[in-house]
Amino acid sequence: MLRSFVTEMSCFAGDPNFCPECGNILPLPGVQDVVRCPRCSFSIPVAEFSGQEIRSTVVFNPVEQSTMSLEGEDDSELKGAVIDRRCSRCNKEGMIYHTRQMRSADEGQTVFFTCTHCRYQEKEDS
């Protein structure tokens, strides 16, 4: 339904969620009679959106991909996000990190890194 209006008033036709003139994302229809592009001010009558269903989903990364748990010789566990950082001791990729505010509040926090392979610990002040 939107395409018929757009072909009469615009040079382009496309997804109804985007402005046919500049490609900017259109705001959701509201109480006004038209939907106006915030970038180029192209307007489409709100009636053109009648009957359209708008859906959105949020997909989170699985927990097992974003965290890692290691069991060591002393039965303590390391938990945290695993990042691509090379260990300066064993030269293998993959370290777990966590942050702490070690200094005053107006200074940066300290980042602690622990190697997932040899458990070597490094710190970095930011």
Side-chain angles (χ1 to χ4, degrees):
M1 193 158 39
L2 180 64
R3 293 183 193 277
S4 63
F5 176 81
V6 170
T7 55
E8 293 172 14
M9 301 299 291
S10 174
C11 302
F12 306 102
D15 189 306
N17 295 317
F18 296 91
C19 175
E21 286 297 307
C22 70
N24 195 48
I25 297 175
L26 290 173
L28 294 174
V31 294
Q32 281 99 12
D33 295 337
V34 295
V35 173
R36 188 171 311 280
C37 175
R39 184 172 182 214
C40 71
S41 298
F42 183 81
S43 61
I44 301 171
V46 111
E48 295 293 320
F49 293 92
S50 177
Q52 289 189 6
E53 187 175 315
I54 299 171
R55 293 184 186 195
S56 64
T57 58
V58 177
V59 179
F60 293 98
N61 293 333
V63 174
E64 52 276 353
Q65 285 183 358
S66 62
T67 62
M68 182 176 211
S69 178
L70 297 175
E71 294 184 18
E73 301 161 6
D74 55 290
D75 292 336
S76 65
E77 289 188 5
L78 294 174
K79 292 184 179 180
V82 179
I83 61 167
D84 294 330
R85 181 180 170 115
R86 190 168 299 280
C87 175
S88 60
R89 179 194 277 169
C90 70
N91 207 29
K92 291 186 180 176
E93 195 76 28
M95 297 187 91
I96 294 174
Y97 77 96
H98 69 278
T99 60
R100 294 268 191 259
Q101 187 68 38
M102 304 297 286
R103 298 172 286 167
S104 62
D106 64 337
E107 296 184 33
Q109 60 189 358
T110 302
V111 183
F112 294 91
F113 299 95
T114 305
C115 178
T116 59
H117 303 283
C118 71
R119 291 184 157 222
Y120 179 68
Q121 294 184 345
E122 302 174 358
K123 75 175 186 173
E124 183 177 286
D125 294 322
S126 55

